[in-house]
Amino acid sequence: MIKKYHVTLADNERSLLRDLLSAGKAPARTLTHARILLKADESDGGPAWSDEAIRKALDVGLSTVARVRERFVEEGLEAALERHKPRRDYSHLVDGECEAHLVALACSAPPAGHKRWTLRLLADKMVECAYIDGISHETVRQVLKKTNLSPG
């Protein structure tokens, strides 16, 4: 397999990685990535291990070695050591105001003909009162679980 990304560490980067490993006060993933970079170093005096040799020595996957190499070459040392930020943007359907309405509704008296609020009744009432455009009973459950409330 031909390596697309070649790791060449500068002296200060190499010493920084060695200091990081000798201290041992970083997360395990960070320390493993530091070891990968040190073993993959192709500069003068670097071991220049193959990906397969690194995989066997550090008990990691080939894709992990390849990703660390790629992130080092494309984004730098810090990016190769740290966890990457999620690419997906998480948006929440229920904001604080809507959550307050749901909690108030769950604490109120149930509708006529019912002994207690059900998750589906709460979801339907939230839409009926125009607090939210649409909401599933599962979302209602998750919100109430987060606030330590349960219908009924």
Side-chain angles (χ1 to χ4, degrees):
M1 185 172 151
I2 299 171
K3 286 186 256 182
K4 184 176 179 182
Y5 298 99
H6 298 279
V7 175
T8 52
L9 295 171
D11 291 335
N12 61 340
E13 291 173 330
R14 195 176 304 110
S15 65
L16 180 89
L17 290 173
R18 287 185 180 137
D19 291 344
L20 182 69
L21 289 172
S22 65
K25 295 284 186 182
R29 174 182 285 121
T30 302
L31 296 177
T32 301
H33 288 197
R35 287 184 183 97
I36 290 171
L37 290 173
L38 285 172
K39 297 298 181 193
D41 184 16
E42 296 179 11
S43 63
D44 294 335
W49 285 18
S50 68
D51 287 3
E52 182 62 29
I54 295 170
R55 182 193 71 79
K56 285 180 182 176
L58 300 179
D59 196 27
V60 294
L62 277 174
S63 59
T64 300
V65 177
R67 272 195 313 272
V68 171
R69 281 180 181 274
E70 179 181 354
R71 289 193 69 201
F72 174 77
V73 171
E74 290 188 351
E75 301 176 38
L77 180 63
E78 291 298 319
L81 293 176
E82 299 298 321
R83 290 184 77 151
H84 64 85
K85 303 286 186 256
R87 291 181 183 100
R88 183 175 156 197
D89 183 29
Y90 293 94
S91 60
H92 296 283
L93 179 66
V94 179
D95 60 357
E97 183 182 344
C98 184
E99 184 176 321
H101 286 297
L102 178 59
V103 169
L105 190 61
C107 293
S108 68
H114 294 279
K115 226 178 175 180
R116 64 179 60 96
W117 284 105
T118 65
L119 297 177
R120 284 177 174 35
L121 280 173
L122 286 169
D124 293 342
K125 190 68 170 177
M126 289 289 290
V127 173
E128 181 184 318
C129 291
Y131 295 132
I132 196 165
D133 293 333
I135 188 169
S136 72
H137 67 281
E138 175 61 15
T139 305
V140 170
R141 184 195 67 80
Q142 289 174 357
V143 170
L144 293 178
K145 181 180 178 187
K146 186 177 78 172
T147 58
N148 292 327
L149 290 175
S150 62

